[in-house]
């Protein structure tokens, strides 16, 4: 734009504004930057749909394939699209959320120009090609690294060309409340199956007459991009049942299991109402398949059969697909700690199998098939049943495997019936729902793995109103003392059922209860011992011939301290003297404590023990709650020794339950 300045007006302005610096002349001023240098190039858009760019035909022929010249190119195809969705990506707090990517049902032929007419500004973009995996880091990749095209759509007419061809998609940057009619030209009809709109008969006929290389199997909650010739060669005839099963799995076993619904009472629980997408590609950028949006898999029959084998699907055996979508749904910032990276994503496979076994009344649907389960579940159960110090996140071969580490979660889901902890409690499968809902409402993300373990422990305890500390300790899942104390302060009953012994594969075991008074869990320490009778721990071994013996000729008080592992109600004590009646105790000081620091002598202490081989019982006036008790021999006079020494021996110690 050129500005011409009137000399007379300029003079008036200069006279009036004394402080202004003005120059009166007839020079022409131009806005914008200096136009020096070479003239700007003239850019023209090729709008001739008759021109086909064949420069990548050789590559497109390899993948995804060409479209025969006889396939009809459609003109002025108006499609009214529902581009509304729930904008809840941040609220879900999962790894990857579904994207607002909408299928048009059209396919762009390689190198051919497509026109798109948009009636207004709706913040839309268009993509040609479902294969958006970047293979630039793959050595000798079987296709070019980037074969999709994506661009913003302006109101009015738009042009787009992709040299490899592919399905045409519309992306909506924001939800569009009202349907939008978009018109496409020079496009090919993709022989897609859309649940609720396409019949089996029409689809099976269409895939045999079309030469479009890839098609979509679509439902409300999931979309598969698969080779058309696979559908023909595998003679897929009932896509309706296949997609119904998938649609229900995503709805019930992902969204609803996570507590997401379309019309929730709280906005935290609003489902996205967008489908997951799974795309078969000639080569995924990572592995045999990977998570993300879309999920990408090899375009082989192994994956295809998992998508479309109705019998396997009804048994919940689509392990790989459920696994990758499960990765997208992991809440790693809140409760899925480090060693569960390849574990918590597999929980959905068990949920599908469980539902299928119930809905179809088909016990064969359980458990979901995976060859590792037959060995890793028994290994995990052996780990949980073992005594001693254990680390769930460690390198022990019995637990250092994703399928071993999934065992305690499946035990919780499958073993806990409704009303187990309190009247009105849902069954164990609802625990997953509780985890996800609590994570969506958490004020802060977990700072570290310990926070995440505590998150699971506290959520489970609150869900059942039961303290699960023994379950977690049996699995070697370390819970902080802060969380343990917090749950104890709530007054929940102790969970004593040995659910860690439940085998989810056979659905057997886990019905016994832990005896808290079982002395095998006691920890015994002493300030004086020799190994004459077997050491210090033999006072709890149940064998009368073994005994604790103090170090020879002690010169100070000797004692035994016993930690029962938890505060328990007791009503008294039981003792057995050394059975040969040598070096027996006469006066035994007995003190109790809850913290191993502050000690109180019991009523009647010191207890007068008889020099007999039979059991001696001492009841208290009323029950007391303790964790530790200390047995002390203060002097030689407190023994039955005749040689003046303070040598002391004791065969067995026990407490009396209330």
């Amino acid at each position: 734009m050129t500005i011409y300045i009137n000399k007379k007006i300029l003079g008036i302005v200069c006279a009036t504004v004394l402080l202004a610096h003005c120059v009166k002349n007839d020079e022409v001023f131009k806005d914008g930057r200096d136009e020096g240098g070479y003239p700007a190039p003239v850019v023209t858009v090729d709008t001739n749909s008759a021109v086909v760019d064949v420069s990548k035909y050789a590559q497109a022929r390899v993948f995804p394939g060409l479209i025969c010249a006889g396939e009809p190119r459609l003109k002025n195809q108006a499609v009214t699209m529902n581009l509304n969705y729930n904008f809840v990506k941040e609220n879900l707090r999962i790894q990857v959320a579904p994207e607002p990517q909408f299928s048009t049902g059209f396919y762009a032929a390689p190198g051919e120009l497509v026109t798109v007419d948009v009636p207004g500004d709706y913040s839309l973009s268009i993509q040609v090609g479902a294969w958006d995996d970047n293979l630039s880091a793959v050595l000798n990749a079987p296709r070019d690294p980037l074969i999709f095209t994506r661009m913003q759509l302006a109101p009015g007419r738009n042009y787009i060309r992709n040299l490899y061809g592919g399905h045409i998609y519309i992306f909506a940057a924001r939800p569009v409340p009202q349907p939008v009619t978009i018109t496409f030209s020079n496009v090919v009809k993709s022989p897609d199956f859309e649940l609720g709109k396409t019949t089996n008969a029409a689809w099976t006929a269409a895939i045999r007459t079309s030469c479009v290389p890839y098609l979509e199997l679509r439902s409300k909650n999931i979309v598969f991009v698969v080779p058309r010739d696979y559908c023909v060669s595998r003679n897929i005839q009932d896509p309706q049942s296949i997609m119904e099963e998938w649609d229900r799995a995503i709805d019930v076993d992902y969204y609803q299991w996570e507590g997401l619904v379309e019309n929730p009472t709280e906005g935290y629980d609003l489902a996205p109402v967008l489908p997951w997408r799974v795309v078969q590609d000639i080569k995924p950028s990572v592995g045999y398949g990977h998570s993300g949006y879309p999920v990408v898999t090899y375009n082989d029959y192994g994956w295809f059969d998992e998508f479309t084998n109705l019998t396997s699907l009804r048994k919940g055996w689509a392990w790989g697909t459920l696994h990758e979508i499960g990765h997208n749904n992991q809440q790693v910032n809140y409760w899925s700690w480090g060693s569960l990276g390849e574990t918590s994503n597999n929980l959905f496979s068990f949920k599908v199998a469980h539902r299928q076994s119930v809905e179809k009344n088909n016990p064969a649907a359980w458990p979901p098939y995976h060859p590792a389960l037959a060995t890793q579940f028994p290994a995990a159960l052996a780990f949980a049943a073992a005594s001693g110090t254990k680390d769930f996140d460690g390198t022990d071969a019995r637990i250092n495997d994703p399928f071993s580490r999934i065992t305690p979660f499946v035990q919780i889901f499958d073993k806990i019936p409704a009303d187990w902890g309190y009247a009105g409690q849902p069954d164990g499968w609802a625990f997953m729902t509780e985890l996800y809902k609590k994570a969506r409402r958490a004020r802060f993300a977990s700072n570290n793995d310990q926070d995440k373990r505590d998150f699971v422990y506290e959520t489970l305890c609150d869900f059942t109103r039961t303290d699960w500390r023994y379950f977690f300790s049996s699995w070697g899942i370390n819970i902080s003392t802060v969380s343990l104390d917090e749950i104890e302060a709530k007054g929940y009953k102790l969970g004593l059922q040995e659910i860690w012994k439940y085998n989810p594969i056979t659905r057997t075991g886990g019905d016994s209860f832990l005896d808290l008074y079982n002395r095998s869990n006691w920890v015994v320490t002493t300030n004086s011992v020799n190994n004459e009778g077997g050491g210090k721990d033999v006072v709890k071994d149940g064998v009368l011939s073994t005994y604790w013996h103090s170090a020879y000729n002690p010169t100070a008080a000797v004692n035994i301290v016993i930690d029962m592992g938890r505060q328990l109600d007791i009503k008294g004590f039981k003792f057995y003297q050394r059975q040969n009646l040598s070096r027996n105790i006469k006066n035994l000081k007995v003190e109790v404590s809850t913290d191993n620091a502050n000690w109180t002598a019991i009523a009647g202490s010191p207890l007068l023990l008889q020099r007999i081989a039979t059991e001696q019982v001492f009841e208290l006036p009323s029950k007391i709650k303790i964790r530790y008790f200390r047995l002390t021999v203060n002097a030689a006079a407190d023994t039955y020794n005749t040689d003046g020494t303070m040598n002391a021996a004791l065969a067995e110690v026990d407490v009396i339950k209330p």
Side-chain angles (χ1 to χ4, degrees), residues 52 148 166 194 207 217 230 238 260 442-443 457 460 486 490 576 584 598 602 646 657:
V52 178
F148 74 101
E194 185 173 3
I207 62 174
L217 303 173
Y230 284 13
D238 190 8
L260 299 171
R443 291 184 61 192
Y457 167 70
L460 181 58
E486 181 176 331
K490 292 183 177 182
Y576 277 94
N584 299 146
N598 300 291
I602 66 167
M646 202 171 62
K657 302 177 187 178

Side-chain angles (χ1 to χ4, degrees), residues 399-416:
I399 199 66
N400 189 19
D401 179 89
F403 299 99
S404 294
R405 291 192 173 114
I406 206 171
T407 311
F409 290 92
V410 183
Q411 286 177 328
I412 294 167
F413 298 153
D414 203 51
K415 185 61 176 174
I416 303 304

